[in-house]
Amino acid sequence: MVGGSFEGSHDGQAWTTLGVITSAPAAGQFSEKTLGTTPYRFLRYVAPQGSYGNVAEIEFYDGATKLAGTNIGSAGSFENNGNTFDKALDGNTNTYFDAVNDAAGYFVGIDRGVQTLPTATPTPEPTATPTPEPT
């Protein structure tokens, strides 16, 4: 997984790198990586060269809330063994994604659907104070 990256996209075409794995995660344990606070429609893990995309489980969170969406990922599996990208999103650490070959760029992630991006809140107009009539 070293060299793998997490990416976010608003349109599924232009991707922003949110974080890169710089050290090997401990075997058999979940690892956490903080990726920022910008909401993205698409979130994915992109495997590095030589890894076959091997990953047992990927989950995305906003604080303590697990994010849901439609599973997305690279098609196929090594020797058509059935270890497709959806295995890395099934909640079962005994299954895993095993990509077609060891090329870079195989990915697994979620499409969260249409997301509303934060917008500026308009500043309310000041309320006019009536001027007292002269007496």
Side-chain angles (χ1 to χ4, degrees):
M1 291 187 83
V2 175
S5 62
F6 290 94
E7 298 178 341
S9 175
H10 299 298
D11 62 6
Q13 302 296 313
W15 294 89
T16 300
T17 299
L18 306 174
V20 176
I21 298 172
T22 57
S23 60
Q29 296 180 13
F30 273 96
S31 299
E32 291 185 18
K33 185 146 188 77
T34 301
L35 303 176
T37 58
T38 301
Y40 288 97
R41 174 178 171 176
F42 300 91
L43 295 167
R44 70 181 184 179
Y45 162 72
V46 181
Q49 175 76 35
S51 72
Y52 284 86
N54 290 146
V55 61
E57 207 59 37
I58 297 285
E59 296 177 343
F60 298 96
Y61 285 82
D62 179 4
T65 304
K66 183 178 175 183
L67 300 177
T70 302
N71 295 348
I72 59 171
S74 300
S77 63
F78 184 71
E79 297 183 350
N80 293 316
N81 62 15
N83 292 324
T84 53
F85 74 85
D86 56 309
K87 301 291 191 225
L89 299 162
D90 65 1
N92 182 351
T93 57
N94 293 316
T95 62
Y96 58 95
F97 175 43
D98 194 22
V100 173
N101 61 43
D102 67 349
Y106 287 101
F107 71 95
V108 57
I110 59 173
D111 173 356
R112 301 179 58 218
V114 177
Q115 299 297 303
T116 303
L117 299 177
T119 57
T121 304
T123 305
E125 293 290 322
T127 306
T129 306
T131 306
E133 293 282 327
T135 54

